[in-house]
Amino acid sequence: MDSQPGSGPNLTQPRRYWEDGLGHAALRSAQVLLVLLLVSLGVFALTRVSLVVIPVLLALILAAAIAPFVNWLRRKGWPGALATGVSFLLLLGVFGGLITGIVFAIRSEWSSLVDQATAGFNKLYELVQNGPFTIDSQAIEDARDAVLDFATSSTAGSGAIAGLSAAGSFATGFLLMAVVLFYFLKDGDRIWAFMLRWFRGERLEKAKLSGARTMEVLGGYVRGTAIVAAVDAICIGAALFILGVPLALPLSVIVFVGSFIPLVGATAAGILAALIALVANGPVVALIVVAVIIAVNQLEGNFLQPVVMGKTLSIHALVILLALTAGTILAGIIGAILAVPIAAVTWAVIKVWTGEDTGDPAEPAEVADTADAEAPAESS
């Protein structure tokens, strides 16, 4: 007896597991897992060649920051090679001056700082012994002996060897960054035009806009952060100098460099300055230093950052914190410095490719001309 239509289940049709709601969710989950796997593999591969990746990223950020100055020199009639060379040498001079200033300042005040630190430790030791909270002096002596044993052990020796290896890697990375930066400044338009050769039509326009937004975000971030960091360093450094805190100049430079790590960098540098003030000048001066640091942080967060940075860093503070954490885990201090601009660039590029940002690419004219000139040659 034949079954009538609608009288029972149609056994001739296979069950379509992937067409219901759960099936669509499973497919989407598999896609997300695949994307996360590819991203993880890409990040892992980049961490294996960090000696190449980090200098290139630093060179790109510095090139984005100094490119307006190079273009300004070219508009004034300077030859391209001369404008690039002068800008490059000025940038290296600034870095060299900062490093030299830190080294000489620390060398000139190191002996007095050691004496003051020793006296401060003795006072702290007496306070602990005579204070309201009794602490066994033997525990303090054991801790001191442990530090001395570590300093004379093979572990410290291997740490020193690791430090020499790190210094060699730093020198190699700095030299590579300098070379890459020079070529970015000199042939950046040609490099960008070569990368644009792989795009056509609407994707070409989005790629141009992505490049323009990348340079805008990186340049604006570095220049804005440098202004904010300079204000922090000048204010805190002036307070340290007036209060007579040792190493006021190198501490100011540390504050300047630390300000390039949002949320935590300037605060950590300020805590270091307060600790040195506590050891060298006593608790009253240390409290004054802490008050100055809090006031400067309030000035930075409520006035300088919104005015100077504008919309350059238009990402939430939670995203910044997560990016800082991930960058620190992957690449240490350098990763913390690079994490925020990379996150800002990523968000700007995402807005371009999702259609949220459809503005005209404000790129240099020579980049567009070179890209347009090479596109027909490829098609032919």
Side-chain angles (χ1 to χ4, degrees), residues 88-104 174:
F88 180 74
L89 292 177
L90 285 176
L91 190 61
L92 290 184
V94 171
F95 275 108
L98 288 176
I99 295 174
T100 303
I102 294 174
V103 171
F104 278 95
F174 183 81

Side-chain angles (χ1 to χ4, degrees), residues 46-262:
L46 292 178
T47 57
R48 298 301 93 187
V49 289
S50 58
L51 190 58
V52 176
V53 174
I54 291 177
V56 171
L57 290 177
L58 288 174
L60 178 61
I61 293 174
L62 293 176
I66 202 174
F69 180 69
V70 177
N71 295 331
W72 179 78
L73 291 179
R74 289 178 176 177
R75 288 193 298 269
K76 294 296 182 179
W78 289 46
L82 182 60
T84 301
V86 169
S87 304
F88 180 74
L89 292 177
L90 285 176
L91 190 61
L92 290 184
V94 171
F95 275 108
L98 288 176
I99 295 174
T100 303
I102 294 174
V103 171
F104 278 95
I106 292 178
R107 287 184 59 184
S108 63
E109 299 187 37
W110 179 256
S111 59
S112 62
L113 180 62
V114 171
D115 295 338
Q116 290 169 342
T118 304
F121 177 80
N122 293 332
K123 291 181 180 178
L124 181 62
Y125 184 75
E126 294 176 359
L127 179 64
V128 169
Q129 284 185 323
N130 302 324
F133 301 101
T134 304
I135 298 178
D136 187 9
S137 60
Q138 185 63 37
I140 300 177
E141 294 178 0
D142 292 341
R144 181 188 61 187
D145 294 339
V147 173
L148 293 176
D149 292 340
F150 173 79
T152 57
S153 65
S154 59
T155 305
S158 61
I161 295 175
L164 292 176
S165 176
S169 299
F170 175 80
T172 303
F174 183 81
L175 181 62
L176 178 61
M177 183 200 70
V179 174
V180 174
L181 174 61
F182 177 80
Y183 281 109
F184 277 168
L185 293 175
K186 180 177 179 293
D187 299 324
D189 52 348
R190 298 180 182 178
I191 296 173
W192 180 233
F194 175 79
M195 297 180 65
L196 290 178
R197 294 169 60 184
W198 306 100
F199 298 93
R200 294 291 183 273
E202 183 181 357
R203 292 186 176 182
L204 176 61
E205 297 303 320
K206 288 186 176 181
K208 288 182 179 181
L209 184 56
S210 298
R213 292 294 181 261
T214 297
M215 299 303 288
E216 291 174 7
V217 170
L218 290 180
Y221 174 79
V222 174
R223 291 188 294 270
T225 305
I227 294 173
V228 174
V231 174
D232 291 348
I234 291 173
C235 294
I236 296 177
L240 296 177
F241 180 79
I242 294 173
L243 294 172
V245 178
L247 298 175
L249 177 60
L251 286 174
S252 301
V253 177
I254 293 174
V255 170
F256 177 81
V257 176
S259 297
F260 281 85
I261 305 177

Side-chain angles (χ1 to χ4, degrees), residues 272-332:
L272 176 62
L275 289 176
I276 293 179
L278 175 63
V279 173
N281 302 88
V284 176
V285 175
L287 289 176
I288 296 175
V289 171
V290 171
V292 171
I293 293 170
I294 293 175
V296 170
N297 285 336
Q298 292 297 318
L299 175 66
E300 173 188 339
N302 297 323
F303 178 73
L304 290 178
Q305 285 283 0
V307 172
V308 176
M309 300 296 289
K311 296 183 179 180
T312 300
L313 200 61
S314 57
I315 50 180
H316 196 272
L318 179 59
V319 178
I320 295 177
L321 183 60
L322 295 177
L324 285 174
T325 305
T328 304
I329 293 174
L330 293 175

Side-chain angles (χ1 to χ4, degrees), residues 324-345:
L324 285 174
T325 305
T328 304
I329 293 174
L330 293 175
I333 297 298
I334 297 297
I337 295 175
L338 294 176
V340 176
I342 290 176
V345 167

